[in-house]
Amino acid sequence: MKQKVAIFRSTLLQISETFIRDQANTLSSWEPILIGRTELNGGLKTPNIKREIVPELGSTLHRLFHFWLQRPETDLVQKLQQLQVSLVHAHFGTDATRIWPSVKAAKLPMLVTLHGQDINIHRKWWEAGHGGLRGKVYPRRLLSMAKDPSVYFIAVSKAIKQKAIEYGIPEEKINVSYIGVDTARFEPGSLPIGQRRKRILFVGRMVEKKAPLAMIRAYAEVRIRIPDIELVMIGTGPLLEDAKQLAKELAVDVEFLGTQSSDEVLAQLHQAQVFCLPSVTAENGDAEGLPIAILEAMSCGIPCIATRHSGNQEAISNNFTGYLIPEKGHVEFVEVLTLILNNPENLYSMSKNARHRATQYFNIQLNSTLLEANYIISTGQNYAQ
């Protein structure tokens, strides 16, 4: 009989969080159960995974009282015990710190996946209250939780592991485990990459760290040199209107598609010649972990141009599967984008190399096997106490 793992995310489930669904679906030795506090209207469907909603009960004052005193939520404790799970796997440190009192009361071990935002944002930003009242104590509670022998961590990249160590989490409690992508589904399209229109694809939230405005500025400059290029941008967020206004000011046509399903992202990848994500470190420290969008593009044989920071350097081999550019390196961005679109022979070789690297290192089947090894380590450590 398979052991059960409760995969926790406070809200089930953002359209952009297909990585949680896909990772859970790929487990072979464990039975996943998604647990959340709220159900997102119109959110991501998970027909093959059992879902449980355990809402926070009581008034706002009652919930804050429990939170500040770090008291377990009886309903959540009872649900975890009723489901007979062997492990709780929480995505994002922010979610993990909020449920830890209940997980501990249920006498269960917990494995926490650190994605980026939850470990990159400066402690002072949280402590100043910019992340809300509960966020003020997040850094302190994360480090306190990390001391418990029943808590272990997964970093989605080597860069995130290093950030977690610098944050104060003991190195021996952190393993690197890439999430990966379904390389059988995200495969090269039928139209050879060199025969496609000169289309650039950007996929990411319209927020500071994804740098959508930098993408549009570079596109506008390259378009002067290559008039027939196109830019498609998938994603929404607070900078969407600014992005539209900038495209209008620069008099360039940009196709803004907003939020799209995974199927639509795949369809767009099959029409693109190059994928770009010129990410930056936000003012509050927020930065990439290892964007799934880059791995999906590589798996489809799309050369990627991305910033030389965080986990991007673990995925992209410079001048082999794509190009790495300096953070805020506008000149370099324009140059490599021009180079790759004007060199069909190099485009073909990079496409082949990107696909090979994705299948070799970022296949979700392989990485889910490594995840299950982390599940065993986490539960074994707990049983040994």
Side-chain angles (χ1 to χ4, degrees):
M1 182 181 294
K2 292 182 179 180
Q3 293 188 78
K4 298 177 182 178
V5 55
I7 300 173
F8 185 86
R9 187 71 175 110
S10 57
T11 300
L12 300 180
L13 200 57
Q14 298 285 343
I15 292 292
S16 60
E17 294 178 340
T18 54
F19 58 89
I20 296 177
R21 178 201 64 192
D22 295 347
Q23 188 182 68
N25 270 329
T26 314
L27 296 175
S28 60
S29 301
W30 290 71
E31 178 187 339
I33 303 171
L34 283 171
I35 296 184
R37 292 300 204 180
T38 58
E39 185 88 46
L40 182 64
N41 186 30
L44 188 67
K45 303 303 180 186
T46 57
N48 300 321
I49 309 172
K50 182 178 180 180
R51 296 164 76 118
E52 295 281 352
I53 299 298
V54 187
E56 291 184 273
L57 301 178
S59 65
T60 301
L61 186 60
H62 170 84
R63 295 197 297 269
L64 278 175
F65 179 75
H66 269 68
F67 174 79
W68 283 111
L69 294 182
Q70 292 187 277
R71 290 186 174 178
E73 296 288 339
T74 303
D75 286 359
L76 181 55
V77 174
Q78 291 177 345
K79 177 58 69 175
L80 291 171
Q81 292 173 335
Q82 174 194 334
L83 293 171
Q84 298 182 313
V85 299
S86 300
L87 173 70
V88 175
H89 176 191
H91 281 275
F92 297 91
T94 44
D95 275 6
T97 55
R98 294 184 183 184
I99 64 167
W100 172 235
S102 299
V103 175
K104 187 174 183 178
K107 298 181 180 179
L108 290 168
M110 185 162 70
L111 185 64
V112 184
T113 293
L114 301 171
H115 288 272
Q117 177 189 29
D118 47 359
I119 205 70
N120 281 321
I121 291 179
H122 302 313
R123 291 185 60 175
K124 290 182 178 179
W125 185 89
W126 289 110
E127 292 164 351
H130 298 301
L133 191 59
R134 295 189 181 195
K136 285 174 69 71
V137 295
Y138 168 64
R140 184 169 74 248
R141 291 195 176 176
L142 177 67
L143 294 179
S144 175
M145 183 182 72
K147 295 177 182 177
D148 194 285
S150 294
V151 177
Y152 279 81
F153 295 86
I154 284 176
V156 298
S157 68
K158 296 174 184 175
I160 290 299
K161 177 176 180 176
Q162 184 56 41
K163 282 288 187 180
I165 294 169
E166 293 169 4
Y167 209 87
I169 297 175
E171 181 177 1
E172 66 272 13
K173 302 199 77 173
I174 315 165
N175 285 328
V176 175
S177 182
Y178 300 124
I179 290 177
V181 295
D182 185 350
T183 55
R185 177 169 174 253
F186 284 88
E187 61 179 356
S190 57
L191 184 63
I193 195 164
Q195 296 178 26
R196 300 176 190 177
R197 298 168 73 168
K198 294 180 179 178
R199 178 174 293 183
I200 306 159
L201 181 63
F202 170 103
V203 180
R205 292 193 65 234
M206 298 290 177
V207 293
E208 182 186 359
K209 75 174 179 180
K210 299 291 185 180
L213 304 187
M215 178 71 258
I216 294 170
R217 291 189 183 98
Y219 166 65
E221 193 163 332
V222 175
R223 201 175 183 200
I224 296 172
R225 309 176 185 185
I226 312 174
D228 58 338
I229 64 171
E230 304 171 351
L231 173 60
V232 174
M233 302 186 78
I234 294 177
T236 189
L239 291 182
L240 178 58
E241 292 307 314
D242 289 346
K244 290 180 178 180
Q245 181 61 33
L246 179 61
K248 184 177 179 180
E249 290 173 2
L250 296 176
V252 291
D253 292 326
V254 178
E255 189 172 358
F256 294 98
L257 298 183
T259 300
Q260 293 293 329
S261 68
S262 179
D263 288 339
E264 178 58 26
V265 171
L266 178 59
Q268 289 296 329
L269 284 168
H270 286 167
Q271 298 177 57
Q273 277 200 335
V274 61
F275 180 91
C276 293
L277 195 60
S279 311
V280 299
T281 302
E283 187 177 352
N284 65 359
D286 191 13
E288 300 286 10
L290 177 52
I292 294 296
I294 285 178
L295 303 184
E296 290 175 344
M298 290 176 60
S299 187
C300 288
I302 310 297
C304 296
I305 300 174
T307 309
R308 188 185 292 111
H309 74 176
S310 197
N312 294 350
Q313 301 172 92
E314 297 164 44
I316 299 170
S317 294
N318 196 40
N319 202 23
F320 186 70
T321 66
Y323 290 100
L324 292 165
I325 57 174
E327 189 166 323
K328 298 182 180 179
H330 174 77
V331 173
E332 292 87 350
F333 190 14
V334 169
E335 290 303 318
V336 298
L337 191 50
T338 302
L339 176 64
I340 200 169
L341 290 170
N342 271 337
N343 193 337
E345 184 176 333
N346 199 29
L347 194 66
Y348 273 114
S349 64
M350 283 191 169
S351 172
K352 181 180 178 181
N353 296 338
R355 171 64 181 175
H356 177 74
R357 185 166 177 80
T359 55
Q360 186 175 17
Y361 295 104
F362 303 108
N363 183 322
I364 197 169
Q365 297 284 348
L366 168 65
N367 288 291
S368 289
T369 299
L370 298 176
L371 173 65
E372 291 185 312
N374 279 285
Y375 283 179
I376 293 170
I377 291 170
S378 299
T379 52
Q381 288 290 337
N382 183 66
Y383 296 152
Q385 301 304 314

